Amino acid sequence: MPRTTTAAVQAVLTHDWDTETDLAPFIEAASSLVDGAVSLATDRSLTLTNPEIVERWLSAHFYKYAADRQFKGRDVQGAVTGGAFEGQTAMYLEGTTYGQMAMSLDGTGSLRALSKGQHASLLWGGKPPSDQIPYWDRGY
């Protein structure tokens, strides 16, 4: 269930919003990613203190990141067509200022980890405490 509203995302987008595009799909995508960030933060015993604000900026990022939104200029000269795009697709959340803001609002670092596909886990590969021998009884 989304935490933010269309009006809140519109306020963030200001002049970047075309006033016609439905923002619901972008809010839904952002909500899904923020749910993952909240879950990852909880697993790390951390708390994402402002998930609604992060979701708001992330929704704006997804709107802006859509391919047709990144196209910022075009040149047409006879049969030659060219253009320019903002950002790079390999930059993930860093590809727009909205995504950068969303990551900076997440003090847990969970959003950055999810966007890069990075998260660590630790698994104990030793014996359970009941089977361990104290170092003073090992006979070294």
Side-chain angles (χ1 to χ4, degrees):
M1 175 115 191
R3 296 166 184 83
T4 195
T5 64
T6 300
V9 177
Q10 289 170 359
V12 168
L13 285 168
T14 60
H15 67 277
D16 282 336
W17 185 52
D18 64 9
T19 70
E20 295 174 6
T21 303
D22 182 17
L23 296 175
F26 306 106
I27 293 171
E28 184 178 334
S31 179
S32 176
L33 191 55
V34 170
D35 289 345
V38 167
S39 177
L40 183 57
T42 302
D43 289 348
R44 295 175 170 178
S45 299
L46 301 170
T47 302
L48 184 61
T49 57
N50 49 2
E52 187 277 326
I53 297 172
V54 172
E55 187 173 299
R56 184 185 319 171
W57 284 87
L58 202 53
S59 299
H61 164 76
F62 286 137
Y63 172 81
K64 183 71 174 174
Y65 208 67
D68 59 330
R69 302 289 173 246
Q70 286 187 301
F71 197 68
K72 69 176 184 178
R74 67 184 69 182
D75 298 322
V76 179
Q77 297 174 348
V80 179
T81 305
F85 288 84
E86 290 182 29
Q88 297 177 10
T89 55
M91 293 179 68
Y92 307 108
L93 294 180
E94 296 170 343
T96 68
T97 54
Y98 302 112
Q100 293 167 13
M101 180 61 80
M103 285 191 299
S104 62
L105 289 168
D106 171 21
T108 68
S110 301
L111 196 57
R112 182 179 303 277
L114 286 174
S115 77
K116 300 280 185 167
Q118 301 169 340
H119 60 283
S121 62
L122 179 64
L123 177 65
W124 171 250
K127 296 179 180 180
S130 61
D131 292 340
Q132 294 176 7
I133 300 171
Y135 71 91
W136 56 83
D137 287 341
R138 293 183 190 164
Y140 296 122

